[in-house]
């Protein structure tokens, strides 16, 4: 019972029905037997990582294209992605990934080094996204905001550190830390949040990721 990725009208109809369901810990009590659903955007690197896992494992998960406005109504964190499976609501990509990997008895970040890479890349993303949002929503940049400047510094330092840490020869599309890193790097280029010119190892990592069909198929777009 394989469901294709990609979703349109049907998804938004289901979504508005579920928006009224409370509490969040039991969002689907009247809806037994519903398929697994991933709610996200085509631009989010966190969502992309989940979409890659779904494709890698050929899982029957329906992707429901969701706006941040909708996420504010439907998830307590007001963020994308979130995920539903019968009685279960998951609100963070790391937990969603663990759940997805579990479906195929696969580990999620089993090695400490891979988990560290996952965490570093996620922090890089959080800082990069914060910097973009501060500039876009509030006109705050490193020039007029100490907090924005700190996010920029965090991005730069994380990139420099990861460039030293990661050996592209050992990069693998089977490791969630490595996948997260590739999603983060590609997001940075997509949003022009940073460049990889000064980071040859990271540039090589992204080159390798772009040889993977599931990475290419999930490239960010509006
Ligand atoms: N830790 C979360 C981060 C998710 C996240 O930051 N998503 C962004 C989209 S890329 C978002 O929803 N931002 C909206 C906001 O922060 O208001 C995860 O891994 O799922």
């Amino acid at each position: 019972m394989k469901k294709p990725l990609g979703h349109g009208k049907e998804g938004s109809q289901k979504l508005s029905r579920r928006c009224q369901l409370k509490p969040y810990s039991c969002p689907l009590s009247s809806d037994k037997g519903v398929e697994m659903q991933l709610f996200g955007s085509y631009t989010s690197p966190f969502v992309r990582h989940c979409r890659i896992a779904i494709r890698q494992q050929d899982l029957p998960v329906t992707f429901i294209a969701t706006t941040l406005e909708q996420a504010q109504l439907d998830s307590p964190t007001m963020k994308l992605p979130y995920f539903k499976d019968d009685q279960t609501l998951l609100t963070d990509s790391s937990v969603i990934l663990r759940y997805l990997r579990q479906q195929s008895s696969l580990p999620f970040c089993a090695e400490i080094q891979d988990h560290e890479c996952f965490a570093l890349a996620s922090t890089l993303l959080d800082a990069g996204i914060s910097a973009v949002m501060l500039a876009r929503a509030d006109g705050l940049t490193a020039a007029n905001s100490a907090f924005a400047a700190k996010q920029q510094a965090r991005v730069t330092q994380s990139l420099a550190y990861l460039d030293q840490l990661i050996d592209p020869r050992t990069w693998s599309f089977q490791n969630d830390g490595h996948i997260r890193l590739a999603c983060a790097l590609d997001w940075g280029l997509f949003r022009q949040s940073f460049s990889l010119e000064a980071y040859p190892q990271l540039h090589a990592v992204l080159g390798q990721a772009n040889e993977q069909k599931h990475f290419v198929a999930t490239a960010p777009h509006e």
Side-chain angles (χ1 to χ4, degrees):
M1 191 192 69
K2 194 166 54 157
K3 290 266 161 51
L5 286 171
H7 217 286
K9 210 170 169 199
E10 190 195 352
S12 35
Q13 281 166 355
K14 282 185 183 173
L15 188 58
S16 49
R17 177 160 50 90
R18 281 175 192 142
C19 287
Q20 297 146 19
L21 292 167
K22 287 181 179 174
Y24 286 109
S25 59
C26 188
L28 298 174
S29 53
S30 63
D31 210 356
K32 289 268 157 57
V34 75
E35 74 276 19
M36 292 187 279
Q37 297 172 314
L38 175 69
F39 298 78
S41 68
Y42 291 105
T43 52
S44 165
F46 303 102
V47 175
R48 183 183 192 181
H49 192 164
C50 298
R51 291 170 65 216
I52 288 170
I54 290 165
R55 284 170 177 265
Q56 284 180 318
Q57 295 166 236
D58 209 7
L59 290 171
V61 179
T62 302
F63 178 72
I64 300 184
T66 307
T67 62
L68 280 175
E69 289 71 30
Q70 193 63 60
Q72 290 191 15
L73 301 171
D74 207 31
S75 169
T77 64
M78 305 187 287
K79 288 191 177 205
L80 299 171
Y82 54 98
F83 177 92
K84 293 175 180 177
D85 184 13
D86 202 18
Q87 307 283 313
T88 305
L89 171 70
L90 304 178
T91 61
D92 191 279
S93 66
S94 62
V95 188
I96 297 168
L97 284 162
R98 183 175 167 183
Y99 189 87
L100 293 173
R101 296 306 190 198
Q102 234 173 44
Q103 304 298 312
S104 309
S105 303
L106 292 169
F108 167 71
C109 288
E111 304 297 326
I112 287 292
Q113 285 313 316
D114 192 47
H115 205 156
E116 174 64 7
C117 183
F118 181 93
L120 282 164
S122 299
T123 300
L124 165 67
L125 273 175
D126 286 336
I129 291 170
S130 294
V132 167
M133 294 309 292
L134 284 167
R136 197 188 284 173
D138 298 327
L140 296 175
T141 64
N144 59 4
S145 158
F147 187 70
K150 188 168 187 178
Q151 303 313 312
Q152 285 295 355
R154 187 170 278 136
V155 167
T156 307
Q157 292 204 36
S158 298
L159 286 169
Y161 183 74
L162 279 159
D163 196 59
Q164 297 292 316
L165 189 71
I166 301 298
D167 180 347
R169 291 169 302 181
T170 61
W171 183 86
S172 163
F173 208 51
Q174 302 309 313
N175 295 347
D176 279 304
H178 289 180
I179 299 173
R180 175 58 51 111
L181 176 60
C183 291
L185 299 177
D186 214 25
W187 175 86
L189 299 190
F190 173 68
R191 286 289 185 225
Q192 299 180 320
S193 168
F194 51 77
S195 133
L196 295 181
E197 264 172 42
Y199 311 110
Q201 308 300 326
L202 297 182
H203 188 267
V205 161
L206 192 54
Q208 282 182 235
N210 274 314
E211 289 171 12
Q212 300 290 330
K213 64 179 179 186
H214 298 312
F215 191 74
V216 173
T218 56
H221 62 84
E222 296 291 354

